[in-house]
C-alpha cells in the first residue's frame, strides 16, 4: 500500500545505532573466553603428550591421532596397520544416530503434519504436548526408559502377565535399546522444524493436485514432501548431530558392548583410560564431522534461498 | 467437513501422533507411578505409599541430595539471570543497533553453544580450565552454564523483539524520550514476555544439564543430575524415581509457566 | 511576508545505490496545511522521516524556523509525528500515551495531566482516557495518535498517511476535522498521502512528488488546473494527453499544430519548448460538436456508462483516443458508435506540458 519497499525498510538510524559493539560485548566476551578459547585449547591439547594420571606434558606429539588411526602393536614397534577399534566406534555412532534419525522421521513427520494442520487453540496445545518431554531432564528420561525396558521392568512384566510372551524380551544393552533411547531423547527436534515447514505449506497446492486427479499419497510424494523438504532436512540434522555425540543413552542403555563416541571421550577424562590428548583428538574429530555436516547444510540452505 | 474431502487428512497420521505421544510420555508416567510403589523391589507393585518421598527428604542419602539440589538451584538462578541479561543486550544489538563491526559473526557466535556437541564443549571447558590452572568446582560449573544458556535465552528474546515494530521506539523518540528512556519505558516492557520465557528456559537448561557439569565439576561438588547419575550407576533405586518425579514436576511446571507467559504476550498484541 | 516553518534545501537521500530523494528543495510556510502527494515508493514518506529525524540525510539541509536540524536526533526536534499505524504504546492507556511526551519534556505530573485533559477534549476522547489502545476502534486510535502528537504543542506536526487505515466513510469525516484542528491550533501540518482527493480537499498547498523529485508545488487549484508536466496531469484527476508539434512558445502561450493539422494557441507550462509536445485537456472540458466546427475530428469508438456521467472515447484522425465526459441528462445528445464528430475546447482549458 502506502510507502514502497524502500520507505518501509528499517531506517539506517536505528534506535541504538552506535551502541552495537558495546551491547554485544558481554556475549562476545563470555562465549569467546569460555567456549571459543577452550575449543582452541582442546585443539592444542590433542597435539600434546599424555600424562599418565590425566593431564598433559607440554611436548608436541602426534601420538593421539596416531593411536586413533594406526595399530603399532603392544610395544609400538610393529609396522603400522590400520587400527579399526576407534573407526568402528565412529561407524557405530553414525549407524546408531542414523537409525535413531530414521525412527524419528517415521514417527515425527505424521505427527508434525497432524499438528500443523489443526486449527486455532488446539494446535498450540498439541504443540505444547510434544515439547514438554524435551524440557524434562535428559538423564531422567533416559533412566525412565531404562527402567521401562529392563528384563524385569514393567514392559516385560506386563507382556508376560498378559501371556503374549513367556520369556522376557531382552532389549536393554542392545543396539536397539540405544536407538530407542536416542529416538526418545531427540524426537521433538524432528517434529518442531517439520511442523514449522508444514505451517507455511499452502493447502491450496493440495487442492490443486487433487483437482488434477492426484490421490492423497501421490500429492504427499510429489507436492507436499518437496515443499516441506527444508524442515525435514533441518529435523534430521537436529536429531543426527546430537545423537552422534550422545553419552547418556549409550552409557545407560547400551552397556559395555555398545560403546559410542561419547563414552569413548568420557573414558579418557573420567574413566580409567585417562588419556587427555587422545580424548581431545577424538573430540576434535567429532567436532570436525559435525561442522562438515552443518556447513553442508548451510550451503544447501543458501542454495534453496537463492532460488 | 467430510473426511473424504479433507485434504489435510492422511490415513494413519492420527494414530502415529498418538504413538508419538505415547512413546514420549509412557516412560515418564511409569516412573511417576512407580515412585509411589510401596514395594522395596522396584518392579513388583506393593500398593500406594509415600515412603520413597520420605526417604528422599529424610533418608540416608537425603543430605547428599539436598546439598546437590541447593547447588543446582543456585547455579541455575545465577546462570539464568546472567544469560538472560547478556542475551537481552545481544538481541538489542543484533536487532536494534543497525550495522556494526562484527555483527555478521555475532549471530554464529551466539548460536555456537548449540552447534558444538555437548560432550565436546565439556571436554574443551575442562581442558581450558586445567590449562589456565583454574580449580574446577562451583565457579567453573557456573561459567560453563552461563555460556550454554545464552542461546536458549536469546532465541525467545530475539523472537519477541523481532515481533515488536521499531515504530514504537521511533514514536517515543519523537516524543522527546532519550535512548535510555526509550529502552526502559517502551522496549523493555514490550519485550518482557520474551525475557521471562528466555529466563525460564535458561533456568531449566541449567538445572537439567548433566554432561558438561559432569566434566567441569571437579571432586567434592555435585549437582542434582550428577548425584542422580552417580546413584543410578549402582542400579535404579525407588528413591531415584521419587527424585526424578520431583524434578520432572519442576521442569514441567516451569515450561508450562513459560508457555502461558508467552501466550499472554501474544494476546496482548 | 510569511515565515518559513520548514525549509528543505537541496536534500538528497541515498540507500546504497538507490537514490530515494534527489535534490529536493521546499519551503513550507508557518501555519500551513502542506501535503506531500505521490504514488507508493516516490519518496514522500522518506522526506517526512528525514524531517522527523528517523532517517539521516545524505546531503543538504533541513531548517526549522531558521535553525538547521538535520544533525539532531528525533528527541531533540520540536516536531511530532502521527504514524501511519499510529504506533500507540500497547502497554500504556490513553492518558499515559498522551502524557508520554510531556513527561519527557520535564513537565510535572499535574501540569501534564491538565494538558492531557485539554487535548483529549480537543479530539473528543475524554471518556476513553483509561482505555488501552487495543480497546479502541480504529478511528479512536487515530485520534489518540493525533492527541499524543499535539500534546507537546509542536511547532510542526508530521502526519504519515494517518487516514489510510480507516474505512472510507470515517476517512471523509476525519478529513474535515483534521483541517479544523489545524486551523484552530495554528500548527503547521505536513501531511503525507497517496490519495489525491485527500490532498485536494485538505491542503493549503501540495507538493507532488515522483521518483524522489518534486514535480510541482502549488495550491490544489493550481495543481489540478495548471499541471506542470505529464506526471502531474496524469496523477491528479483524469486527463487527455494530445500529441502535438509546438511551433512557437512566447509570453506564456504556445502555438502548436494539432493532429489533423489545425493550429491552436493555449497557455504553456514554464519551461515548455518548441518541437514535439503534449497538450493536457480534462475530459469534462471537451465539447462534442458537428464535424466541421471542431478543432479535431474523430470517430466515436465506445461509450461507457458511469451513472451521473457518460464517457465517450473518440479516436481522432492521426491521434490517440480522447475521452469526453458528458453529463448524463435527457437533453444531452449521445453520439453513436462509428459516428464522425468534431471536438472543441477553449484555449484556457488546454495546457502545453513539459514532457
Amino acid at each position: 500500500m502506502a510507502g514502497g519497499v524502500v520507505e518501509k525498510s528499517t531506517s539506517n538510524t536505528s534506535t541504538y545505532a552506535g551502541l552495537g559493539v558495546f551491547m554485544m560485548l558481554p556475549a562476545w566476551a563470555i562465549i569467546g573466553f569460555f567456549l571459543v578459547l577452550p575449543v582452541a585449547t582442546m585443539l592444542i591439547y590433542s597435539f600434546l603428550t599424555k600424562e599418565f594420571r590425566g593431564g598433559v606434558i607440554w611436548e608436541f606429539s602426534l601420538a593421539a591421532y596416531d593411536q586413533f588411526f594406526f595399530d603399532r602393536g603392544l610395544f609400538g614397534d610393529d609396522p603400522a596397520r590400520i587400527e579399526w577399534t576407534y573407526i568402528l566406534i565412529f561407524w557405530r555412532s553414525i549407524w546408531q544416530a542414523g537409525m535413531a534419525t530414521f525412527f524419528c522421521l517415521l514417527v515425527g513427520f505424521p505427527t508434525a503434519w497432524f499438528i500443523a494442520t489443526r486449527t486455532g487453540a488446539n494446535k498450540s496445545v498439541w504443540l505444547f504436548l510434544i515439547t514438554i518431554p524435551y524440557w524434562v531432564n535428559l538423564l531422567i528420561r533416559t533412566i525412565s526408559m531404562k527402567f521401562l525396558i529392563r528384563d524385569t521392568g514393567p514392559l516385560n512384566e506386563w507382556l508376560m502377565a498378559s501371556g503374549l510372551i513367556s520369556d522376557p524380551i531382552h532389549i536393554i544393552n542392545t543396539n536397539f535399546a540405544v536407538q530407542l533411547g536416542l529416538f526418545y531423547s531427540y524426537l521433538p527436534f524432528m517434529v518442531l522444524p517439520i511442523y514449522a515447514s508444514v505451517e507455511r505449506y499452502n493447502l491450496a497446492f493440495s487442492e490443486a493436485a487433487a483437482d488434477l486427479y492426484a490421490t492423497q499419497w501421490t500429492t504427499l510424494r510429489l507436492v507436499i514432501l518437496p515443499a516441506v523438504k527444508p524442515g525435514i532436512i533441518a529435523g534430521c540434522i537436529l536429531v543426527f548431530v546430537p545423537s552422534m555425540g550422545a553419552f547418556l543413552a549409550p552409557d545407560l542403555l547400551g552397556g559395555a558392548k555398545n560403546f559410542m563416541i561419547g563414552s569413548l571421550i568420557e573414558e579418557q577424562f573420567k574413566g580409567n583410560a585417562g588419556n587427555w590428548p587422545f580424548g581431545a583428538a577424538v573430540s576434535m574429530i567429532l567436532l570436525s564431522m559435525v561442522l562438515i555436516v552443518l556447513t553442508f547444510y548451510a550451503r544447501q540452505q543458501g542454495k534453496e534461498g537463492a532460488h | 467437513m467430510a473426511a473424504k474431502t479433507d485434504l489435510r487428512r492422511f490415513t494413519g497420521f492420527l494414530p502415529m501422533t498418538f504413538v508419538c505421544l505415547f512413546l514420549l510420555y509412557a516412560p515418564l508416567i511409569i516412573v511417576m507411578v512407580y515412585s509411589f510403589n510401596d514395594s522395596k523391589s522396584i518392579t513388583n507393585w506393593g500398593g500406594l505409599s509415600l515412603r520413597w518421598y520420605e526417604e528422599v527428604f529424610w533418608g540416608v542419602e537425603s543430605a547428599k541430595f539436598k546439598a546437590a539440589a541447593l547447588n543446582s538451584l543456585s547455579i541455575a538462578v545465577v546462570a539464568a539471570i546472567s544469560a538472560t541479561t547478556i542475551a537481552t543486550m545481544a538481541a538489542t544489538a543484533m536487532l536494534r543497533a543497525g550495522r556494526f563491526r562484527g555483527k555478521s559473526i555475532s549471530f554464529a557466535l551466539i548460536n555456537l553453544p548449540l552447534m558444538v556437541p555437548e560432550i565436546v564443549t565439556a571436554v574443551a571447558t575442562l581442558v581450558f580450565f586445567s590449562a589456565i590452572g583454574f580449580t574446577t568446582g562451583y565457579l567453573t560449573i557456573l561459567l560453563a552454564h552461563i555460556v550454554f544458556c545464552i542461546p536458549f535465552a536469546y532465541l525467545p528474546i530475539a523472537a519477541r523483539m523481532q515481533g515488536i515494530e521499531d515504530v514504537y521506539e521511533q514514536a517515543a523518540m519523537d516524543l522527546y524520550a532519550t535512548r535510555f528512556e526509550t529502552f526502559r519505558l517502551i522496549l523493555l516492557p514490550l519485550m518482557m514476555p520474551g525475557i521471562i520465557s528466555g529466563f525460564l528456559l535458561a533456568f531449566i537448561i541449567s538445572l537439567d544439564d548433566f554432561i558438561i557439569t559432569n566434566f567441569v565439576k571437579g571432586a567434592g561438588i555435585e549437582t542434582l543430575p550428577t548425584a542422580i547419575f552417580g546413584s543410578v550407576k549402582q542400579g535404579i533405586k525407588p528413591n531415584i524415581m521419587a527424585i526424578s518425579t520431583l524434578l520432572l514436576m519442576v521442569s514441567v511446571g516451569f515450561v508450562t509457566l513459560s508457555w502461558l507467559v508467552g501466550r499472554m504476550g501474544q494476546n496482548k498484541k | 511576508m510569511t515565515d518559513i516553518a520548514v525549509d528543505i534545501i537541496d536534500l538528497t537521500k541515498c540507500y546504497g545505490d538507490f537514490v530515494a530523494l534527489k535534490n529536493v528543495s521546499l519551503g513550507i510556510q508557518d501555519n500551513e496545511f502542506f501535503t506531500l502527494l505521490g504514488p507508493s515508493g516516490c519518496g514522500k514518506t522518506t522526506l517526512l522521516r528525514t524531517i522527523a529525524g528517523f532517517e539521516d540525510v545524505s546531503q543538504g539541509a533541513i531548517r526549522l524556523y531558521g535553525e538547521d536540524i538535520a544533525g539532531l536526533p528525533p528527541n531533540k526536534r520540536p516536531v511530532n509525528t502521527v504514524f501511519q499505524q499510529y504506533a500507540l504504546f500497547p502497554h500504556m492507556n490513553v492518558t499515559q500515551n498522551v502524557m508520554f511526551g510531556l513527561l519527557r519534556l520535564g513537565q510535572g505530573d499535574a501540569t501534564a495531566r491538565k494538558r492531557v485533559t485539554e487535548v483529549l477534549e480537543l479530539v473528543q476522547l475524554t471518556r476513553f482516557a483509561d482505555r488501552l489502545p487495543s480497546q479502541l476502534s480504529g478511528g479512536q486510535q487515530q485520534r489518540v495518535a493525533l492527541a499524543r502528537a499535539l500534546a507537546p504543542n509542536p511547532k510542526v506536526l508530521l502526519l504519515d498517511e494517518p487516514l489510510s487505515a480507516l474505512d472510507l466513510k470515517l476517512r471523509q469525516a476525519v478529513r474535515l476535522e483534521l483541517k479544523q484542528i489545524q486551523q484552530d491550533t495554528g500548527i503547521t501540518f505536513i501531511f503525507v498521502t497517496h490519495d489525491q482527493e485527500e490532498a485536494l480537499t485538505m491542503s493549503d498547498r501540495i507538493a507532488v512528488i515522483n521518483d524522489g523529485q518534486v514535480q510541482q508545488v502549488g495550491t490544489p487549484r493550481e495543481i489540478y488546473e495548471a499541471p506542470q508536466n505529464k506526471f502531474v496531469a496524469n496523477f491528479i484527476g483524469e486527463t487527455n494527453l494530445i500529441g502535438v508539434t509546438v511551433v512557437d512558445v512566447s509570453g506564456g502561450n504556445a502555438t502548436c499544430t494539432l493532429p489533423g493539422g489545425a493550429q491552436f494557441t493555449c497557455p504553456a507550462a514554464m519551461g515548455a519548448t518548441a518541437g514535439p509536445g503534449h497538450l493536457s485537456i480534462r475530459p469534462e472540458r471537451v465539447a462534442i460538436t458537428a464535424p466541421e466546427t471542431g478543432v479535431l475530428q474523430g470517430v466515436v469508438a465506445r461509450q461507457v456508462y458511469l451513472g451521473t456521467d457518460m464517457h465517450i472515447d473518440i479516436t481522432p484522425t492521426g491521434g490517440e483516443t480522447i475521452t469526453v465526459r458528458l453529463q448524463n441528462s435527457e437533453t444531452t445528445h449521445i453520439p453513436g458508435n462509428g459516428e464522425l464528430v468534431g471536438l472543441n475546447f477553449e484555449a484556457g482549458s488546454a495546457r502545453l506540458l513539459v514532457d
Side-chain angles (χ1 to χ4, degrees):
Chain A
M1 238 191 64
V5 177
V6 172
E7 293 181 68
K8 277 258 174 80
S9 76
T10 314
S11 56
N12 53 356
T13 48
S14 303
T15 321
Y16 302 103
L19 293 179
V21 172
F22 169 73
M23 285 188 294
M24 208 65 217
L25 214 56
W28 281 343
I30 290 275
I31 297 176
F33 199 75
F34 293 108
L35 185 59
V36 177
L37 217 54
V39 170
T41 313
M42 184 179 76
L43 177 64
I44 296 171
Y45 263 51
S46 71
F47 290 106
L48 296 179
T49 310
K50 74 170 172 178
E51 169 88 78
F52 279 96
R53 290 177 304 276
V56 286
I57 301 164
W58 283 82
E59 246 171 59
F60 177 80
S61 159
L62 283 172
Y65 292 95
D66 189 81
Q67 181 185 345
F68 188 92
F69 290 108
F70 300 110
D71 175 10
R72 295 178 194 276
L74 196 55
F75 303 103
D77 47 10
D78 291 358
R81 283 173 300 153
I82 294 192
E83 167 69 271
W84 289 104
T85 318
Y86 306 116
I87 295 171
L88 276 176
I89 289 176
F90 264 73
W91 171 241
R92 184 183 300 126
S93 301
I94 291 169
W95 169 255
Q96 298 286 64
M99 288 303 286
T101 308
F102 172 73
F103 289 136
C104 282
L105 186 58
L106 205 65
V107 177
F109 180 81
T111 307
W113 175 270
F114 178 79
I115 295 175
T117 53
R118 295 308 93 195
T119 47
N122 268 345
K123 189 192 286 194
S124 85
V125 172
W126 275 106
L127 196 62
F128 182 56
L129 283 176
I130 293 291
T131 42
I132 278 192
Y134 168 68
W135 296 109
V136 172
N137 198 321
L138 183 60
L139 174 63
I140 288 176
R141 280 187 287 155
T142 313
I143 292 173
S144 307
M145 185 55 85
K146 179 174 179 146
F147 176 68
L148 179 65
I149 62 174
R150 290 174 332 145
D151 290 352
T152 56
L155 185 67
N156 276 316
E157 298 272 319
W158 291 334
L159 287 176
M160 288 202 291
S162 65
L164 283 171
I165 52 171
S166 53
D167 293 308
I169 314 171
H170 184 66
I171 305 175
I172 196 85
N173 296 346
T174 63
N175 274 339
F176 178 68
V178 178
Q179 288 159 17
L180 192 65
L182 293 174
F183 161 83
Y184 184 44
S185 301
Y186 303 117
L187 179 56
F189 285 1
M190 183 64 86
V191 177
L192 295 177
I194 298 180
Y195 164 84
S197 273
V198 176
E199 267 262 87
R200 283 195 298 272
Y201 174 75
N202 186 349
L203 212 64
F205 293 134
S206 288
E207 288 169 4
D211 185 54
L212 297 166
Y213 318 110
T215 65
Q216 272 293 73
W217 296 100
T218 313
T219 306
L220 179 69
R221 193 162 52 84
L222 296 179
V223 180
I224 297 173
L225 282 182
V228 302
K229 203 176 84 184
I232 294 177
I233 293 175
C236 288
I237 284 177
L238 284 177
V239 173
F240 184 81
V241 166
S243 292
M244 225 167 52
F247 168 71
L248 284 173
D251 190 76
L252 290 173
L253 303 172
K257 274 191 302 185
N258 299 292
F259 231 54
M260 278 172 60
I261 304 172
S263 312
L264 177 65
I265 293 173
E266 206 250 7
E267 199 177 50
Q268 308 310 318
F269 293 92
K270 310 292 288 184
N272 302 324
N275 186 341
W276 283 30
F278 183 63
V282 176
S283 300
M284 278 316 298
I285 294 167
L286 173 62
L287 182 60
S288 321
M289 287 172 61
V290 167
L291 289 182
I292 288 168
V293 173
L294 291 179
T295 314
F296 182 72
Y297 173 62
R299 281 265 177 80
Q300 204 64 24
Q301 288 287 87
K303 264 193 214 156
E304 301 264 334
H307 283 303
Chain B
M1 200 187 280
K4 278 238 158 110
T5 60
D6 187 353
L7 294 171
R8 302 176 303 166
R9 196 176 164 278
F10 283 91
T11 316
F13 275 25
L14 177 64
M16 206 53 136
T17 306
F18 282 111
V19 167
C20 179
L21 283 180
F22 176 78
L23 285 170
L24 285 174
Y25 283 93
L28 298 178
I29 290 169
I30 283 166
V31 162
M32 281 169 80
V33 170
Y34 274 83
S35 73
F36 295 102
N37 184 3
D38 193 43
S39 167
K40 182 126 193 164
S41 143
I42 58 167
T43 29
N44 298 325
W45 184 254
L48 270 179
S49 152
L50 287 175
R51 61 183 282 198
W52 303 117
Y53 289 89
E54 283 169 31
E55 168 102 17
V56 169
F57 285 103
W58 296 284
V60 199
E61 290 186 306
S62 67
K64 177 179 119 193
F65 281 122
K66 272 181 196 162
L70 207 62
N71 285 335
S72 274
L73 203 65
S74 64
I75 288 170
V77 168
V78 179
I81 290 175
S82 315
T84 309
T85 311
I86 293 168
T88 305
M89 291 179 74
T92 312
M94 293 300 285
L95 298 170
R96 288 297 201 267
R99 264 170 286 185
F100 59 89
R101 275 178 74 99
K103 182 174 181 174
S104 47
I105 202 173
S106 293
F107 185 72
L109 198 67
I110 287 168
N111 287 296
L112 195 63
L114 288 181
M115 292 191 284
V116 178
E118 231 186 321
I119 191 126
V120 175
T121 306
V123 168
T125 313
L126 170 67
V127 161
F128 174 70
F129 283 133
S130 144
I132 61 172
F134 222 74
T135 319
T136 47
Y138 190 90
L139 191 61
T140 51
I141 302 176
L142 184 60
L143 286 168
H145 279 219
I146 293 173
V147 171
F148 71 74
C149 281
I150 289 173
F152 288 95
Y154 180 82
L155 290 175
I157 292 172
R160 174 79 193 171
M161 201 187 292
Q162 235 157 8
I164 302 170
E165 290 179 70
D166 62 357
V167 73
Y168 295 119
E169 290 144 80
Q170 285 171 5
M173 302 267 282
D174 186 59
L175 294 162
Y176 314 109
T178 61
R179 299 209 283 188
F180 181 69
E181 282 172 326
T182 304
F183 185 79
R184 188 169 57 88
L185 298 171
I186 306 297
L187 197 54
L188 204 59
L190 291 180
M191 263 169 43
M192 211 28 105
I195 293 179
I196 293 173
S197 290
F199 172 83
L200 293 176
L201 296 189
F203 181 84
I204 291 193
I205 287 291
S206 164
L207 202 64
D208 282 0
D209 177 73
F210 166 74
I211 293 176
I212 294 172
T213 312
N214 187 38
F215 270 72
V216 301
K217 74 185 173 63
I221 181 165
E222 300 283 356
T223 63
L224 214 39
T226 63
I228 293 173
F229 184 78
S231 180
V232 168
K233 274 280 153 182
Q234 286 121 43
I236 304 177
K237 283 173 285 178
N239 64 336
I240 292 300
M241 285 192 273
I243 294 181
S244 298
T245 305
L246 290 171
L247 206 49
L248 196 151
M249 298 302 232
V250 171
S251 299
V252 173
F254 265 83
V255 176
T256 311
L257 203 63
S258 162
W259 185 65
L260 290 176
V261 168
R263 255 169 57 128
M264 234 165 58
Q266 273 174 4
N267 290 347
K268 246 190 192 168
K269 247 189 97 181
Chain C
M1 159 108 198
T2 43
D3 278 346
I4 300 283
V6 179
D7 202 3
I8 294 158
I9 304 156
D10 198 26
L11 190 81
T12 296
K13 169 74 189 170
C14 308
Y15 297 95
D17 290 340
F18 180 79
V19 183
L21 294 172
K22 203 185 298 173
N23 305 106
V24 172
S25 289
L26 279 176
I28 295 157
Q29 280 156 15
D30 192 27
N31 197 8
E32 186 174 34
F33 198 119
F34 192 89
T35 297
L36 305 173
L37 174 66
S40 290
C42 72
K44 57 191 191 299
T45 297
T46 307
L47 181 56
L48 193 80
R49 289 169 63 85
T50 57
I51 301 172
F54 303 134
E55 306 280 347
D56 51 17
V57 173
S58 306
Q59 180 200 311
I62 303 171
R63 297 219 178 102
L64 189 72
Y65 293 96
E67 185 199 352
D68 192 350
I69 57 166
L72 294 178
N75 54 338
K76 295 273 162 48
R77 300 187 188 198
V79 297
N80 291 134
T81 308
V82 177
F83 292 86
Q84 192 175 1
Q85 306 291 336
Y86 317 136
L88 297 175
F89 305 131
H91 58 301
M92 297 183 184
N93 67 23
V94 170
T95 303
Q96 288 167 326
N97 262 288
V98 178
M99 207 153 74
F100 189 91
L102 301 170
L103 294 180
R104 303 286 83 70
L105 283 173
Q107 289 194 8
D109 193 71
T111 330
R113 274 183 196 280
K114 208 169 138 256
R115 176 67 183 152
V116 170
T117 317
E118 268 173 41
V119 284
L120 285 185
E121 247 163 58
L122 182 70
V123 297
Q124 298 160 30
L125 276 179
T126 317
R127 289 191 301 133
F128 301 101
D130 296 327
R131 297 258 186 109
L132 286 173
S134 54
Q135 298 165 320
L136 298 174
S137 71
Q140 290 164 342
Q141 290 183 19
Q142 197 270 337
R143 284 151 190 266
V144 177
L146 185 63
R148 185 176 72 174
L150 283 172
N153 228 331
K155 288 180 172 170
V156 175
L157 190 73
L158 310 173
L159 301 101
D160 185 6
E161 308 225 13
L163 309 184
S164 63
L166 303 178
D167 60 52
L168 185 67
K169 267 261 167 64
L170 198 54
R171 202 153 56 201
Q172 284 168 344
V174 174
R175 269 181 210 164
L176 301 174
E177 217 173 315
L178 260 184
K179 178 78 184 167
Q180 191 62 47
I181 288 174
Q182 191 268 326
Q183 279 167 354
D184 291 350
T185 55
I187 294 173
T188 307
F189 276 33
I190 304 178
F191 186 92
V192 161
T193 186
H194 66 280
D195 181 335
Q196 40 150 324
E197 198 182 311
E198 221 165 81
L200 293 175
T201 48
M202 293 199 291
S203 320
D204 293 323
R205 284 196 305 151
I206 299 171
V208 182
I209 298 176
N210 190 40
D211 273 347
Q213 284 174 304
V214 176
Q215 305 292 322
Q216 186 171 1
V217 182
T219 63
R221 183 173 284 273
E222 284 165 0
I223 298 276
Y224 184 77
E225 299 198 353
Q228 170 72 14
N229 58 27
K230 264 161 76 179
F231 176 80
V232 176
N234 260 326
F235 189 70
I236 316 285
E238 287 173 75
T239 200
N240 293 300
L241 292 177
I242 304 172
V244 295
T245 310
V246 183
V247 181
D248 178 51
V249 182
S250 64
N253 283 314
T255 308
C256 39
T257 313
L258 295 176
Q263 291 280 315
F264 190 76
T265 303
C266 68
M270 283 258 285
T273 50
H278 284 92
L279 290 188
S280 161
I281 172 99
R282 303 283 178 192
E284 69 269 23
R285 298 291 179 89
V286 187
I288 296 179
T289 63
E292 59 280 5
T293 56
V295 290
L296 288 170
Q297 280 88 38
V299 177
V300 176
R302 63 170 183 174
Q303 298 107 331
V304 181
Y305 177 74
L306 294 173
T308 56
D309 294 309
M310 293 282 297
H311 271 184
I312 318 291
D313 287 352
I314 291 158
T315 314
T317 24
E320 281 171 52
T321 301
I322 291 172
T323 301
V324 182
R325 179 186 290 234
L326 295 179
Q327 231 175 33
N328 188 11
S329 76
E330 289 181 17
T331 52
T332 316
H333 168 70
I334 310 291
N337 274 351
E339 198 176 313
L340 182 72
V341 294
L343 296 173
N344 213 345
F345 36 85
E346 305 273 320
S349 303
R351 186 171 169 83
L352 177 66
L353 304 174
V354 176
D355 262 11

